[in-house]
Amino acid sequence: MVTLKDISRDLGLSVTQVSRALGDHTDVNPQTKQRVRAAADRLGYRPNAVARGLKTGRSGIVAMVVSGTRSPEVSAHLLEIVMGLSAEFSRIGLRFVLHVAQPDEDTAQLHEDLFLAGGIDGFIVISPLRHDPRIKALRRLGAAFVVHGRDPDQRHVHVDIDNHGVGYRLADHLLARGHRRIAFLTAGDHTFFSQERVRGLRQAYADRGLDCAAAQVIGMPMIAPEGYRATRDLLSQTQPPTAIIAGNTMLARGVYAAAAECNVAIPGELSVITHDDGLDLFGTDTFDPPLGGTISPLSDAWVSVARTLQNMIAAQNDGLMECILPLGFREGGSVQSVLD
Amino acid sequence: MVTLKDISRDLGLSVTQVSRALGDHTDVNPQTKQRVRAAADRLGYRPNAVARGLKTGRSGIVAMVVSGTRSPEVSAHLLEIVMGLSAEFSRIGLRFVLHVAQPDEDTAQLHEDLFLAGGIDGFIVISPLRHDPRIKALRRLGAAFVVHGRDPDQRHVHVDIDNHGVGYRLADHLLARGHRRIAFLTAGDHTFFSQERVRGLRQAYADRGLDCAAAQVIGMPMIAPEGYRATRDLLSQTQPPTAIIAGNTMLARGVYAAAAECNVAIPGELSVITHDDGLDLFGTDTFDPPLGGTISPLSDAWVSVARTLQNMIAAQNDGLMECILPLGFREGGSVQSVLD
DNA sequence: CCCTAAATCCGAAACGTTTCGGAAAAGACA
DNA sequence: TGTCTTTTCCGAAACGTTTCGGATTTAGGG
């Protein structure tokens, strides 16, 4: 391994000056810098991240811990998220690594172990639950971390979207077109984002003076097979809903499949609408008819997540920060009015 | 952060003795060990992995770099692999992390950067190509790594199965039951394992004095949609094959789907057989009729991979090691004889 | 009571880097 | 010539750990 000392010996300089030259500090002669850089190149010097980490207390590595899963969709979704985060972090000079835990492993403990061992500057937490134990652990440890989403039961830095707005706008879009019996396929009640969306939906009914009892809120894992199953059930009711809100595009995929199988035309006999997180996988443009709804690309979220975490690491910024990303809307062709 | 120095001060001992006590060395009084351990517990001491890494040159972290992908099946497959490796490494006290590269990123360069920065003891390489650039880079750097699979163009430590045997046994099993027109759905020719399997298949024909021209070898990405498409094509031939060998269970899934859609009965009108890597996802018991073929659980491979890498890291073992895992066979109910 | 060996301890150096405080040299100005 | 800046450099300490070599104490054997 080539070290600073090797370069300094080669050049007859002190280790100090070599370090400062490579770090482009001010108090080193410009042509000395050149010589040092040349020598470093020639000898194949690579700074030792471990030594640097010991001295500076920073490794340049951020991590995310996720639980393994059996669902191919969840895996694919997860990996696309990881790719997005990875790209964003490498853009700002940080390295992003993933630790995949066993499904039954205690991830809060894992975060703690990882943090206390040192060598990890910060963490990303996604899909927080209410009273999320990972967040609790990271807070207790004083670790730098940012959450994508929000746990209302604990204060923490987060990047999120306006989920109340998502529920409101999706419902309102349907209500404005005469729909009343609306089914809302969403996550279980253990997640805040789902609670918020439901609240938004109810608000939309209320703002129009309507009774939200006409809406059916159904919680489930947000993957295609569940959307399929729920839709089959819904369509076999005596009074099936005229519109379905799918919490994400995977659920929507299931809704489309079930509708096709039941010979229910979209949007003729059933309107469908979703929130689209902009992942390639299950993109709304792969739907026929094209799927409408709110849009907020995750790729935008990752930019904020990465930058925010970088700030926290650099500045020990303890001031609570929150970043709510804007919401778009795409008309699509999956909704039809039921007004006369 | 609680350090050895804190403990030593608390106990009136030297840092040396504290370190040795916690390391359970011989020349420290048993009851001193107790005191030290108690103090460490009480103060909440956690060894600093970075400092230890600087001193020992080992971090206890092994990594795998993979390219991101668009295919949900590949993602799911990958994540299950990662879970398996993760479990195995954590069992032997090493930490396994994943770095997901962009699809267009140079992974060989990434391995190099990661290694030269220090802090990573070894690497896992899966799905090697011929003349694999990652292997070339790791060899050049003298890094510890083990490959699952094999690149015959370079010497390296690897854990693999007998792929010639896989091809041979699968083909032989069908040939013994009278099949001659056999389609073999496998990976492209850029992978050694596929070449070997094909060689095995040809050998099986030859050993029976048969002309292997009756076999169709078709290369493709080994995922369900491709298996589906290929099977549709095959079944629409004027003389369709009487048996299909699917390179893995994902391909087999596609084969089953296509056969069902074409109203071709398995095994009545079409025999199917596969190599099963024992992943939960697409397990052979989820097939109807149950899918037969060779078996070699990847979970077994991970045990070897982890242990081998551990040895390499510990002992700088440069002696070329190779580990060929045994092959099982499961009869299943997906093959029928075409003999009179 | 002395000598040796075992048991138990400790100081100091090392890993490779960053950085603080100062030192030397050179030029500017009086 | 002497003083003051500016430029350019360097020694040494520090991060937290492991480990080598030696030091001190205690026990055992004669």
Side-chain angles (χ1 to χ4, degrees):
Chain A
M1 178 197 295
V2 183
T3 71
L4 289 180
K5 198 191 291 190
D6 296 321
I7 300 181
S8 74
R9 193 167 17 202
D10 186 88
L11 256 40
L13 279 172
S14 74
V15 172
T16 303
Q17 279 309 91
V18 176
S19 172
R20 301 181 67 83
L22 292 174
D24 204 25
H25 287 229
T26 53
D27 63 349
V28 34
N29 191 317
Q31 56 181 341
T32 304
K33 282 186 189 173
Q34 280 307 332
R35 285 203 306 143
V36 170
R37 277 197 273 260
D41 248 24
R42 178 165 45 81
L43 300 176
Y45 170 76
R46 301 291 284 260
N48 183 315
V50 179
R52 177 180 289 171
L54 177 59
K55 179 61 192 172
T56 64
R58 284 199 269 285
S59 62
I61 296 180
V62 300
M64 183 164 80
V65 178
V66 299
S67 280
T69 166
R70 292 267 117 84
S71 156
E73 281 176 275
V74 174
S75 295
H77 192 247
L78 180 65
L79 227 56
E80 192 166 350
I81 286 174
V82 170
M83 278 172 56
L85 279 167
S86 229
E88 212 46 57
F89 275 110
S90 90
R91 190 161 300 143
I92 61 176
L94 291 175
R95 207 163 291 139
F96 178 80
V97 303
L98 186 68
H99 186 94
V100 180
Q102 304 305 303
D104 60 349
E105 223 172 340
D106 178 359
T107 50
Q109 185 62 47
L110 223 45
H111 279 88
E112 175 161 353
D113 292 345
L114 240 38
F115 177 73
L116 289 178
I120 288 182
D121 293 348
F123 294 86
I124 303 295
V125 175
I126 60 175
S127 310
L129 306 177
R130 294 206 57 157
H131 299 284
D132 195 295
R134 299 168 295 176
I135 295 176
K136 197 186 312 182
L138 291 172
R139 268 164 54 89
R140 178 167 45 79
L141 296 166
F145 70 102
V146 5
V147 179
H148 178 247
R150 191 153 102 80
D151 174 3
D153 307 305
Q154 307 179 68
R155 289 171 57 87
H156 57 80
V157 176
H158 62 275
V159 173
D160 202 358
I161 59 175
D162 172 14
N163 279 301
H164 181 274
V166 168
Y168 190 94
R169 291 182 65 172
L170 291 177
D172 189 65
H173 189 259
L174 294 171
L175 292 174
R177 281 154 187 78
H179 294 277
R180 294 299 177 266
R181 292 198 312 282
I182 301 175
F184 184 19
L185 313 188
T186 185
D189 230 20
H190 49 288
T191 60
F192 184 59
F193 84 90
S194 190
Q195 295 175 351
E196 283 294 284
R197 289 182 181 184
V198 170
R199 210 166 56 80
L201 172 125
R202 300 227 165 99
Q203 184 76 47
Y205 273 83
D207 282 1
R208 289 180 177 267
L210 297 169
D211 183 3
C212 69
Q216 282 185 73
V217 174
I218 313 176
M220 66 192 73
M222 289 167 67
I223 56 180
E226 299 286 337
Y228 173 84
R229 208 156 49 82
T231 305
R232 292 291 301 238
D233 289 352
L234 286 167
L235 293 180
S236 66
Q237 292 178 349
T238 50
Q239 277 222 324
T242 61
I244 295 183
I245 301 176
N248 66 11
T249 51
M250 292 190 280
L251 280 175
R253 181 72 78 199
V255 173
Y256 268 56
E261 212 161 273
C262 297
N263 286 315
V264 170
I266 298 173
E269 301 165 80
L270 180 70
S271 289
V272 183
I273 198 170
T274 195
H275 174 73
D276 178 15
D277 55 14
L279 293 190
D280 277 349
L281 193 60
F282 306 120
T284 45
D285 48 355
T286 67
F287 286 75
D288 181 29
L291 187 55
T294 50
I295 304 183
S296 180
L298 280 182
S299 53
D300 291 352
W302 305 147
V303 176
S304 294
V305 164
R307 213 170 17 209
T308 306
L309 187 55
Q310 187 184 31
N311 286 341
M312 289 187 72
I313 293 169
Q316 309 295 35
N317 192 337
D318 276 344
L320 182 65
M321 290 180 291
E322 72 165 34
C323 170
I324 305 295
L325 299 167
L327 217 49
F329 198 92
R330 171 187 148 115
E331 196 69 29
S334 56
V335 172
Q336 202 170 75
S337 174
V338 291
L339 298 175
D340 306 338
Chain B
M1 179 196 295
V2 183
T3 72
L4 288 181
K5 198 191 291 193
D6 295 321
I7 300 181
S8 74
R9 194 170 13 209
D10 187 86
L11 256 40
L13 280 172
S14 74
V15 172
T16 303
Q17 279 310 91
V18 175
S19 172
R20 300 182 66 84
L22 292 174
D24 204 25
H25 287 229
T26 53
D27 63 347
V28 34
N29 191 316
Q31 57 180 342
T32 305
K33 281 186 189 174
Q34 279 308 331
R35 285 204 305 143
V36 170
R37 278 197 272 262
D41 248 23
R42 179 165 46 81
L43 301 176
Y45 170 75
R46 300 293 283 262
N48 183 314
V50 179
R52 177 181 288 169
L54 177 59
K55 179 61 192 170
T56 64
R58 292 200 202 90
S59 62
I61 296 179
V62 300
M64 184 165 79
V65 178
V66 299
S67 280
T69 166
R70 293 267 118 85
S71 155
E73 280 177 276
V74 175
S75 295
H77 193 247
L78 180 66
L79 227 54
E80 192 166 351
I81 287 174
V82 170
M83 277 171 56
L85 279 167
S86 229
E88 213 45 58
F89 276 110
S90 89
R91 191 161 299 144
I92 61 176
L94 291 175
R95 208 163 292 140
F96 179 79
V97 302
L98 186 69
H99 187 95
V100 180
Q102 304 305 303
D104 59 348
E105 223 172 343
D106 178 358
T107 50
Q109 183 62 47
L110 223 44
H111 279 89
E112 176 162 351
D113 292 344
L114 240 36
F115 177 73
L116 289 178
I120 288 181
D121 294 347
F123 293 87
I124 303 295
V125 175
I126 59 174
S127 311
L129 307 177
R130 295 206 57 156
H131 299 285
D132 195 295
R134 298 167 295 177
I135 296 177
K136 197 185 315 179
L138 291 171
R139 268 165 54 89
R140 178 166 46 78
L141 295 165
F145 70 102
V146 8
V147 179
H148 177 248
R150 191 152 102 78
D151 173 2
D153 308 305
Q154 307 180 67
R155 289 171 56 87
H156 58 80
V157 176
H158 62 275
V159 173
D160 202 0
I161 59 175
D162 172 14
N163 279 300
H164 181 273
V166 168
Y168 190 95
R169 293 182 64 173
L170 291 177
D172 190 64
H173 190 258
L174 294 171
L175 293 173
R177 281 153 188 79
H179 294 276
R180 294 300 176 264
R181 291 198 313 280
I182 300 175
F184 185 20
L185 312 188
T186 185
D189 231 21
H190 50 289
T191 60
F192 184 59
F193 85 91
S194 190
Q195 294 175 352
E196 283 295 284
R197 290 182 181 184
V198 170
R199 209 166 56 79
L201 173 126
R202 300 227 165 98
Q203 183 75 47
Y205 273 84
D207 282 0
R208 290 179 176 269
L210 297 168
D211 183 3
C212 70
Q216 282 185 72
V217 174
I218 314 177
M220 65 193 72
M222 289 169 65
I223 56 180
E226 300 285 336
Y228 173 83
R229 207 155 49 82
T231 304
R232 292 292 301 237
D233 288 354
L234 286 167
L235 292 180
S236 65
Q237 292 178 349
T238 51
Q239 277 223 324
T242 62
I244 295 183
I245 301 177
N248 66 11
T249 51
M250 292 190 280
L251 280 174
R253 181 72 77 198
V255 173
Y256 268 56
E261 211 162 275
C262 297
N263 287 314
V264 170
I266 298 172
E269 301 165 80
L270 179 71
S271 289
V272 183
I273 199 171
T274 195
H275 174 75
D276 178 15
D277 55 16
L279 294 189
D280 278 347
L281 193 61
F282 306 118
T284 46
D285 48 355
T286 66
F287 285 76
D288 180 30
L291 188 54
T294 50
I295 303 183
S296 181
L298 280 183
S299 54
D300 291 352
W302 306 146
V303 176
S304 295
V305 164
R307 213 170 18 210
T308 307
L309 187 55
Q310 187 184 32
N311 287 341
M312 289 188 71
I313 292 170
Q316 309 295 36
N317 193 337
D318 276 345
L320 183 65
M321 291 179 292
E322 70 165 34
C323 171
I324 305 294
L325 298 167
L327 217 49
F329 198 93
R330 172 187 147 115
E331 196 69 28
S334 56
V335 172
Q336 202 169 76
S337 174
V338 292
L339 298 173
D340 304 339

